[in-house]
Amino acid sequence: MTWSQMQPLLEQACVETLIMVGWSTLISVALGLPIGVLLVLTDKGGLLQNGLVNKVIGQIVNVGRSMPFIILMVALMSFTRWITGTTIGSEAAIVPLAIGGIPFFARLVETAVREVDHGLVEAVQAMGGNTWTIVRRVLVPEALPSLIASITTTIVALIGYSAMAGTVGGGGLGDLAVRYGYQRFETGLMWITVAVLAVVISLIQFAGDYAARSLHHRGGRQGSGPRLRLLKAKEPATTAATADAGKAG
């Protein structure tokens, strides 16, 4: 097979992989983030401590993470057909990819949020902040560098899952490697596909690491310290202004 024959196949496979991974990542982050935060909040000593809820959610996440993706795809075929109307193609592969990515990302979020300094949470509570304020102003912003790294890890994992989805007609680079590289003995195309996957994963990992480091250097977990100090400084500043006015009087 010549390069002119390979090129359109590779371009189509790259687009399919991008669609699958892109949509499944968005769904995984949108649903995995609140689940991971909720696991921390409902844990022992958490702001919304609830042992039953924490155990139920944790067990669901554990089951989702422990199931091999290829088995998950087969188990979800009926659900996938109900959602998309088919079990073949990149659109159908988004369903198991997202369902496999949600618990994976949720556990990474839980780990990232647990690393936030509890003293910051106590400081916001002392200022009268409620649970939503603590999550929005402290937990998520302080864990943001780790969350970016977690998203990067999730994207890389989903690319690997998408390659496995290709073995059962999911489309993308995995499907191209199986249909042409393995079944038609086009070894050259298969190795080019492997190289493309390696380059894409390397670029994503580099971009994710760079973004996480940049956020950490700009403030990251240490960023709330100055912000909290500024909030606390408002009251002394007002007091000082009142004292100056009294002296002037």
Side-chain angles (χ1 to χ4, degrees), residues 132-213:
W132 170 243
T133 300
I134 292 172
V135 171
R136 189 166 56 94
R137 296 289 187 181
V138 179
L139 296 182
V140 173
E142 290 298 308
L144 192 56
S146 295
L147 291 177
I148 294 297
S150 300
I151 292 174
T152 304
T153 302
T154 302
I155 293 174
V156 172
L158 289 174
I159 291 175
Y161 289 169
S162 70
M164 283 188 280
T167 62
V168 291
L173 291 169
D175 180 58
L176 181 66
V178 171
R179 283 193 296 115
Y180 287 87
Y182 177 73
Q183 296 178 351
R184 303 187 185 184
F185 303 102
E186 295 288 348
T187 307
L189 179 58
M190 183 176 66
W191 283 112
I192 291 175
T193 303
V194 171
V196 170
L197 284 170
V199 170
V200 169
I201 290 174
S202 298
L203 291 175
I204 291 173
Q205 190 67 56
F206 174 79
D209 291 344
Y210 178 79
R213 286 195 301 268

Coordinates of all heavy atoms in Angstrom, one line a residue, residues 132-213:
W132 N -20.9 25.0 49.3 CA -20.8 25.3 47.8 C -19.7 26.4 47.7 O -18.9 26.3 46.7 CB -22.1 25.9 47.3 CG -22.0 26.5 45.9 CD1 -22.2 27.8 45.6 CD2 -21.6 25.8 44.7 NE1 -22.0 27.9 44.2 CE2 -21.6 26.7 43.7 CE3 -21.2 24.5 44.4 CZ2 -21.3 26.4 42.4 CZ3 -20.9 24.2 43.1 CH2 -20.9 25.1 42.1
T133 N -19.6 27.3 48.6 CA -18.5 28.3 48.5 C -17.1 27.7 48.7 O -16.2 28.0 48.0 CB -18.7 29.4 49.6 OG1 -20.0 30.0 49.4 CG2 -17.6 30.5 49.5
I134 N -17.1 26.7 49.6 CA -15.8 26.0 49.8 C -15.4 25.2 48.6 O -14.2 25.2 48.2 CB -15.9 25.2 51.1 CG1 -16.0 26.0 52.3 CG2 -14.7 24.2 51.2 CD1 -16.4 25.2 53.6
V135 N -16.3 24.6 48.0 CA -16.0 23.8 46.8 C -15.6 24.7 45.7 O -14.6 24.4 45.0 CB -17.2 22.9 46.4 CG1 -17.0 22.3 45.0 CG2 -17.5 21.9 47.4
R136 N -16.3 25.8 45.5 CA -16.1 26.6 44.3 C -14.8 27.5 44.5 O -14.1 27.8 43.6 CB -17.3 27.5 44.1 CG -17.3 28.3 42.8 CD -18.7 28.8 42.5 NE -19.2 29.6 43.6 CZ -19.1 30.9 43.7 NH1 -18.5 31.6 42.8 NH2 -19.7 31.5 44.8
R137 N -14.6 28.0 45.7 CA -13.5 28.9 46.0 C -12.2 28.3 46.5 O -11.2 28.9 46.4 CB -14.0 30.0 47.0 CG -15.2 30.8 46.6 CD -14.7 31.8 45.5 NE -15.8 32.7 45.2 CZ -15.7 33.7 44.3 NH1 -14.6 33.8 43.6 NH2 -16.7 34.5 44.0
V138 N -12.3 27.1 47.1 CA -11.1 26.5 47.7 C -10.8 25.2 47.0 O -9.7 25.0 46.5 CB -11.3 26.3 49.2 CG1 -10.1 25.7 49.8 CG2 -11.6 27.7 49.9
L139 N -11.7 24.2 47.2 CA -11.3 22.8 46.8 C -10.9 22.7 45.3 O -9.8 22.2 45.0 CB -12.5 21.9 47.1 CG -12.8 21.7 48.6 CD1 -13.9 20.7 48.8 CD2 -11.6 21.3 49.4
V140 N -11.8 23.2 44.4 CA -11.5 23.1 43.0 C -10.3 24.0 42.6 O -9.4 23.5 41.9 CB -12.8 23.4 42.1 CG1 -12.4 23.4 40.7 CG2 -13.8 22.3 42.4
P141 N -10.3 25.3 42.9 CA -9.2 26.1 42.5 C -7.8 25.6 43.1 O -6.8 25.6 42.3 CB -9.5 27.5 43.1 CG -11.0 27.5 43.2 CD -11.4 26.1 43.6
E142 N -7.8 25.2 44.3 CA -6.5 24.7 44.9 C -6.1 23.4 44.3 O -4.9 23.2 44.2 CB -6.7 24.6 46.4 CG -6.9 25.9 47.2 CD -5.7 26.7 47.0 OE1 -4.5 26.3 47.3 OE2 -5.8 27.9 46.6
A143 N -7.0 22.6 43.9 CA -6.6 21.3 43.3 C -6.5 21.4 41.7 O -6.2 20.3 41.1 CB -7.7 20.2 43.6
L144 N -6.6 22.6 41.2 CA -6.6 22.7 39.7 C -5.4 22.1 39.0 O -5.6 21.4 38.0 CB -6.8 24.2 39.3 CG -7.2 24.4 37.9 CD1 -8.4 23.7 37.5 CD2 -7.4 25.9 37.6
P145 N -4.2 22.4 39.5 CA -3.0 21.8 38.8 C -3.1 20.3 38.8 O -2.8 19.6 37.7 CB -1.8 22.2 39.6 CG -2.3 23.5 40.3 CD -3.7 23.3 40.6
S146 N -3.5 19.7 39.9 CA -3.7 18.2 39.9 C -4.8 17.7 39.0 O -4.8 16.7 38.4 CB -3.9 17.7 41.3 OG -2.7 17.9 42.1
L147 N -5.9 18.6 39.0 CA -7.0 18.2 38.1 C -6.7 18.2 36.7 O -7.1 17.4 35.9 CB -8.2 19.2 38.4 CG -8.9 19.0 39.8 CD1 -10.0 20.1 39.9 CD2 -9.5 17.6 39.9
I148 N -5.8 19.2 36.3 CA -5.4 19.3 34.9 C -4.5 18.0 34.6 O -4.7 17.4 33.5 CB -4.5 20.5 34.6 CG1 -5.4 21.8 34.8 CG2 -3.9 20.5 33.3 CD1 -6.5 21.9 33.8
A149 N -3.7 17.6 35.5 CA -2.9 16.4 35.3 C -3.8 15.2 35.2 O -3.5 14.2 34.5 CB -1.9 16.2 36.4
S150 N -4.9 15.2 36.0 CA -5.8 14.1 36.0 C -6.6 14.0 34.7 O -6.8 12.9 34.1 CB -6.8 14.2 37.1 OG -6.2 14.2 38.4
I151 N -6.9 15.2 34.1 CA -7.6 15.2 32.8 C -6.6 14.6 31.7 O -7.0 13.9 30.9 CB -8.0 16.6 32.5 CG1 -9.1 17.1 33.4 CG2 -8.5 16.7 31.0 CD1 -9.5 18.5 33.2
T152 N -5.4 15.0 31.8 CA -4.4 14.5 30.9 C -4.3 13.0 30.9 O -4.3 12.3 29.9 CB -3.0 15.1 31.2 OG1 -3.1 16.6 31.1 CG2 -2.0 14.7 30.1
T153 N -4.2 12.5 32.2 CA -4.1 11.0 32.4 C -5.4 10.3 31.8 O -5.3 9.3 31.2 CB -4.0 10.7 33.8 OG1 -2.8 11.3 34.4 CG2 -3.9 9.2 34.1
T154 N -6.5 11.0 32.0 CA -7.8 10.4 31.5 C -7.8 10.4 30.0 O -8.3 9.4 29.4 CB -9.0 11.2 32.0 OG1 -9.0 11.2 33.5 CG2 -10.3 10.6 31.6
I155 N -7.3 11.5 29.4 CA -7.3 11.5 27.9 C -6.4 10.4 27.3 O -6.8 9.7 26.4 CB -6.8 12.9 27.4 CG1 -7.8 14.0 27.8 CG2 -6.6 12.9 25.9 CD1 -7.4 15.4 27.5
V156 N -5.3 10.2 27.9 CA -4.3 9.2 27.5 C -5.0 7.8 27.6 O -4.9 7.0 26.7 CB -3.0 9.3 28.2 CG1 -2.1 8.1 27.9 CG2 -2.3 10.6 27.9
A157 N -5.7 7.6 28.8 CA -6.3 6.3 29.0 C -7.4 6.1 28.0 O -7.6 5.0 27.4 CB -6.9 6.2 30.4
L158 N -8.2 7.2 27.7 CA -9.3 7.0 26.7 C -8.8 6.8 25.3 O -9.5 6.1 24.5 CB -10.2 8.3 26.7 CG -11.0 8.5 28.0 CD1 -11.7 9.8 28.0 CD2 -12.0 7.3 28.1
I159 N -7.6 7.3 24.9 CA -7.0 7.0 23.6 C -6.7 5.5 23.6 O -7.0 4.8 22.5 CB -5.8 7.8 23.4 CG1 -6.1 9.3 23.2 CG2 -5.0 7.3 22.2 CD1 -4.9 10.2 23.1
G160 N -6.2 4.9 24.7 CA -6.0 3.5 24.7 C -7.2 2.7 24.6 O -7.3 1.7 23.9
Y161 N -8.3 3.2 25.3 CA -9.6 2.5 25.2 C -10.2 2.6 23.8 O -10.7 1.6 23.3 CB -10.6 3.2 26.2 CG -10.3 3.0 27.6 CD1 -11.0 3.7 28.6 CD2 -9.4 2.0 28.1 CE1 -10.8 3.5 30.0 CE2 -9.2 1.8 29.4 CZ -9.9 2.6 30.4 OH -9.7 2.4 31.7
S162 N -10.0 3.7 23.1 CA -10.5 3.9 21.8 C -9.8 2.9 20.8 O -10.4 2.4 19.9 CB -10.3 5.3 21.3 OG -9.0 5.6 21.1
A163 N -8.5 2.7 21.1 CA -7.8 1.7 20.2 C -8.4 0.3 20.4 O -8.6 -0.5 19.5 CB -6.3 1.7 20.6
M164 N -8.8 0.0 21.7 CA -9.4 -1.3 21.9 C -10.8 -1.4 21.3 O -11.3 -2.4 20.8 CB -9.5 -1.6 23.4 CG -8.2 -2.0 24.1 SD -8.4 -2.5 25.8 CE -8.5 -0.9 26.6
A165 N -11.5 -0.2 21.3 CA -12.8 -0.2 20.7 C -12.8 -0.5 19.2 O -13.7 -1.0 18.6 CB -13.5 1.2 20.9
G166 N -11.6 -0.2 18.6 CA -11.5 -0.5 17.2 C -11.5 -2.0 16.9 O -11.8 -2.4 15.7
T167 N -11.2 -2.8 17.8 CA -11.2 -4.3 17.6 C -12.6 -4.8 17.4 O -12.7 -5.9 16.9 CB -10.5 -5.0 18.8 OG1 -11.2 -4.8 20.0 CG2 -9.0 -4.5 19.0
V168 N -13.6 -4.1 17.8 CA -15.0 -4.5 17.7 C -15.7 -3.6 16.8 O -16.9 -3.4 17.0 CB -15.7 -4.7 19.0 CG1 -15.1 -5.9 19.8 CG2 -15.6 -3.5 19.9
G169 N -15.0 -2.9 15.9 CA -15.7 -2.0 14.9 C -16.0 -0.6 15.4 O -16.9 0.0 15.0
G170 N -15.2 -0.2 16.4 CA -15.5 1.1 17.0 C -15.0 2.3 16.1 O -15.2 3.5 16.4
G171 N -14.2 2.0 15.1 CA -13.6 3.1 14.3 C -12.4 3.6 14.9 O -11.9 3.2 16.0
G172 N -11.8 4.6 14.2 CA -10.6 5.2 14.7 C -9.3 4.5 14.3 O -9.3 3.6 13.5
L173 N -8.2 4.9 15.0 CA -6.9 4.3 14.6 C -6.8 2.9 15.0 O -6.1 2.1 14.3 CB -5.8 5.1 15.4 CG -5.6 6.6 14.9 CD1 -4.7 7.4 15.8 CD2 -5.0 6.6 13.5
G174 N -7.4 2.5 16.1 CA -7.4 1.1 16.5 C -8.1 0.2 15.4 O -7.5 -0.9 15.1
D175 N -9.2 0.6 14.9 CA -9.9 -0.1 13.9 C -9.1 -0.2 12.6 O -9.0 -1.2 12.0 CB -11.2 0.6 13.6 CG -12.0 -0.1 12.5 OD1 -12.3 -1.3 12.7 OD2 -12.3 0.5 11.5
L176 N -8.4 0.9 12.3 CA -7.5 0.9 11.1 C -6.4 -0.1 11.2 O -6.1 -0.8 10.3 CB -7.0 2.3 10.9 CG -6.1 2.5 9.7 CD1 -6.9 2.3 8.4 CD2 -5.4 3.9 9.7
A177 N -5.8 -0.1 12.4 CA -4.6 -1.0 12.6 C -5.1 -2.5 12.6 O -4.4 -3.3 12.0 CB -4.0 -0.7 14.0
V178 N -6.3 -2.8 13.1 CA -6.8 -4.2 13.0 C -7.2 -4.6 11.6 O -6.8 -5.6 11.1 CB -8.0 -4.3 14.0 CG1 -8.6 -5.7 13.8 CG2 -7.5 -4.1 15.5
R179 N -8.0 -3.7 11.0 CA -8.5 -4.1 9.7 C -7.4 -4.2 8.6 O -7.5 -5.1 7.8 CB -9.6 -3.1 9.2 CG -10.9 -3.3 9.9 CD -12.0 -2.6 9.3 NE -11.8 -1.1 9.3 CZ -11.7 -0.3 8.3 NH1 -11.6 -0.9 7.1 NH2 -11.5 1.0 8.4
Y180 N -6.5 -3.3 8.6 CA -5.5 -3.2 7.5 C -4.2 -3.8 8.0 O -3.6 -4.6 7.3 CB -5.3 -1.8 7.1 CG -6.4 -1.3 6.2 CD1 -7.5 -0.6 6.8 CD2 -6.4 -1.4 4.8 CE1 -8.5 -0.2 6.0 CE2 -7.4 -0.9 4.1 CZ -8.5 -0.3 4.7 OH -9.5 0.2 3.9
G181 N -3.7 -3.5 9.2 CA -2.4 -3.9 9.7 C -2.4 -5.4 10.0 O -1.5 -6.1 9.7
Y182 N -3.5 -5.9 10.6 CA -3.6 -7.3 11.1 C -4.3 -8.2 10.1 O -3.7 -9.2 9.6 CB -4.3 -7.4 12.4 CG -4.4 -8.8 12.9 CD1 -3.3 -9.5 13.4 CD2 -5.7 -9.4 12.9 CE1 -3.5 -10.8 13.9 CE2 -5.9 -10.7 13.4 CZ -4.7 -11.4 13.9 OH -4.9 -12.7 14.3
Q183 N -5.5 -7.8 9.7 CA -6.3 -8.7 8.8 C -5.8 -8.7 7.4 O -5.9 -9.8 6.7 CB -7.8 -8.3 8.9 CG -8.4 -8.5 10.2 CD -9.8 -8.0 10.3 OE1 -10.3 -7.4 9.3 NE2 -10.5 -8.3 11.4
R184 N -5.2 -7.6 6.9 CA -4.8 -7.5 5.5 C -3.2 -7.6 5.4 O -2.7 -7.3 4.3 CB -5.3 -6.3 4.8 CG -6.9 -6.2 4.8 CD -7.4 -5.1 4.0 NE -8.8 -4.9 4.1 CZ -9.6 -4.0 3.5 NH1 -9.0 -3.2 2.6 NH2 -10.9 -4.0 3.6
F185 N -2.6 -7.8 6.5 CA -1.1 -7.9 6.6 C -0.4 -6.7 6.0 O 0.6 -6.8 5.4 CB -0.7 -9.1 5.8 CG -1.3 -10.4 6.3 CD1 -2.4 -11.0 5.7 CD2 -0.9 -11.0 7.5 CE1 -3.0 -12.2 6.1 CE2 -1.4 -12.2 8.0 CZ -2.5 -12.7 7.3
E186 N -1.0 -5.5 6.3 CA -0.3 -4.2 5.9 C 0.5 -3.7 7.1 O 0.1 -2.8 7.8 CB -1.4 -3.2 5.5 CG -2.2 -3.5 4.2 CD -1.3 -3.4 3.0 OE1 -0.2 -2.9 3.0 OE2 -1.8 -3.8 1.9
T187 N 1.7 -4.4 7.2 CA 2.5 -4.1 8.4 C 3.0 -2.7 8.4 O 3.0 -2.1 9.5 CB 3.7 -5.0 8.4 OG1 3.3 -6.4 8.2 CG2 4.5 -4.9 9.6
G188 N 3.3 -2.1 7.3 CA 3.7 -0.7 7.2 C 2.7 0.2 7.8 O 3.0 1.1 8.6
L189 N 1.4 0.1 7.4 CA 0.3 0.9 7.9 C 0.1 0.7 9.4 O -0.2 1.7 10.1 CB -1.0 0.6 7.1 CG -2.2 1.4 7.5 CD1 -2.0 2.9 7.4 CD2 -3.4 1.0 6.7
M190 N 0.3 -0.5 9.8 CA 0.1 -0.7 11.3 C 1.1 0.0 12.1 O 0.8 0.6 13.1 CB 0.2 -2.2 11.6 CG -0.1 -2.6 13.0 SD -0.1 -4.4 13.3 CE 1.7 -4.7 13.0
W191 N 2.4 0.0 11.6 CA 3.4 0.7 12.4 C 3.3 2.2 12.3 O 3.6 2.9 13.2 CB 4.8 0.2 11.9 CG 5.2 -1.1 12.4 CD1 5.3 -2.3 11.7 CD2 5.5 -1.5 13.8 NE1 5.7 -3.3 12.5 CE2 5.8 -2.9 13.8 CE3 5.5 -0.8 15.0 CZ2 6.1 -3.5 15.0 CZ3 5.8 -1.4 16.1 CH2 6.1 -2.8 16.1
I192 N 2.8 2.7 11.2 CA 2.5 4.1 11.1 C 1.4 4.5 12.1 O 1.5 5.6 12.7 CB 2.1 4.5 9.6 CG1 3.4 4.3 8.7 CG2 1.6 5.9 9.6 CD1 3.0 4.6 7.2
T193 N 0.4 3.7 12.2 CA -0.7 3.9 13.1 C -0.1 4.0 14.6 O -0.5 4.8 15.3 CB -1.7 2.9 13.0 OG1 -2.2 2.8 11.6 CG2 -2.9 3.2 13.9
V194 N 0.7 3.0 14.9 CA 1.4 3.0 16.2 C 2.2 4.3 16.5 O 2.1 4.9 17.5 CB 2.2 1.8 16.4 CG1 3.1 1.8 17.7 CG2 1.4 0.5 16.3
A195 N 2.9 4.7 15.4 CA 3.7 5.9 15.5 C 2.8 7.1 15.8 O 3.1 8.0 16.6 CB 4.6 6.1 14.3
V196 N 1.7 7.2 15.0 CA 0.8 8.3 15.2 C 0.2 8.4 16.6 O 0.2 9.4 17.2 CB -0.4 8.2 14.1 CG1 -1.4 9.3 14.5 CG2 0.2 8.5 12.7
L197 N -0.2 7.2 17.1 CA -0.7 7.2 18.5 C 0.4 7.6 19.5 O 0.1 8.3 20.4 CB -1.2 5.7 18.8 CG -2.5 5.3 18.2 CD1 -2.7 3.8 18.4 CD2 -3.6 6.1 18.8
A198 N 1.6 7.2 19.3 CA 2.7 7.5 20.2 C 2.9 9.1 20.2 O 3.1 9.7 21.2 CB 3.9 6.8 19.8
V199 N 2.9 9.6 19.0 CA 3.1 11.1 18.9 C 2.0 11.9 19.5 O 2.2 12.8 20.2 CB 3.3 11.5 17.4 CG1 3.3 13.0 17.2 CG2 4.6 10.9 16.8
V200 N 0.7 11.4 19.2 CA -0.4 12.1 19.8 C -0.4 12.1 21.3 O -0.6 13.1 22.0 CB -1.7 11.5 19.3 CG1 -2.9 12.0 20.0 CG2 -1.9 11.8 17.8
I201 N -0.1 10.9 21.9 CA -0.1 10.8 23.3 C 1.0 11.6 23.9 O 0.9 12.3 25.0 CB 0.1 9.3 23.7 CG1 -1.2 8.5 23.4 CG2 0.4 9.1 25.2 CD1 -1.1 7.0 23.6
S202 N 2.2 11.6 23.3 CA 3.3 12.4 23.8 C 3.0 13.9 23.8 O 3.3 14.6 24.7 CB 4.5 12.2 22.9 OG 5.0 10.8 23.0
L203 N 2.3 14.4 22.7 CA 1.9 15.8 22.6 C 0.9 16.2 23.7 O 1.0 17.2 24.4 CB 1.4 16.1 21.3 CG 2.4 16.1 20.1 CD1 1.7 16.3 18.8 CD2 3.5 17.2 20.3
I204 N -0.1 15.3 23.9 CA -1.1 15.5 24.9 C -0.5 15.6 26.3 O -0.8 16.4 27.2 CB -2.2 14.5 24.8 CG1 -3.0 14.7 23.5 CG2 -3.1 14.6 26.1 CD1 -4.0 13.6 23.3
Q205 N 0.4 14.6 26.6 CA 1.1 14.5 27.9 C 1.9 15.8 28.1 O 1.9 16.4 29.2 CB 2.0 13.3 28.0 CG 2.5 13.0 29.4 CD 1.4 12.6 30.3 OE1 0.6 11.7 30.1 NE2 1.3 13.4 31.4
F206 N 2.6 16.2 27.1 CA 3.5 17.4 27.2 C 2.6 18.7 27.5 O 2.9 19.5 28.4 CB 4.3 17.6 25.9 CG 5.1 18.9 25.9 CD1 6.3 19.0 26.6 CD2 4.6 20.0 25.2 CE1 7.0 20.2 26.6 CE2 5.3 21.2 25.2 CZ 6.5 21.3 25.9
A207 N 1.5 18.8 26.8 CA 0.7 20.0 26.9 C 0.0 19.9 28.3 O -0.1 21.0 29.0 CB -0.4 20.0 25.9
G208 N -0.4 18.8 28.8 CA -1.0 18.7 30.1 C 0.0 19.0 31.2 O -0.4 19.7 32.2
D209 N 1.2 18.4 31.1 CA 2.2 18.7 32.1 C 2.6 20.2 32.1 O 2.8 20.8 33.2 CB 3.4 17.9 31.8 CG 3.2 16.4 32.1 OD1 2.2 16.0 32.7 OD2 4.0 15.6 31.6
Y210 N 2.7 20.8 31.0 CA 3.0 22.2 30.9 C 1.9 23.1 31.5 O 2.2 24.0 32.3 CB 3.2 22.6 29.4 CG 3.5 24.1 29.3 CD1 4.8 24.6 29.5 CD2 2.5 25.0 28.9 CE1 5.1 25.9 29.3 CE2 2.8 26.3 28.7 CZ 4.1 26.8 29.0 OH 4.4 28.1 28.8
A211 N 0.6 22.7 31.3 CA -0.5 23.5 31.8 C -0.5 23.3 33.3 O -0.7 24.3 34.1 CB -1.8 23.0 31.2
A212 N -0.3 22.1 33.8 CA -0.3 21.9 35.3 C 0.8 22.6 36.0 O 0.6 23.3 37.0 CB -0.2 20.4 35.6
R213 N 2.0 22.6 35.4 CA 3.1 23.4 36.0 C 2.9 24.9 36.0 O 3.2 25.6 36.9 CB 4.4 23.0 35.2 CG 5.0 21.7 35.5 CD 6.4 21.6 35.1 NE 6.6 21.8 33.6 CZ 6.5 20.9 32.7 NH1 6.4 19.6 33.1 NH2 6.6 21.2 31.4

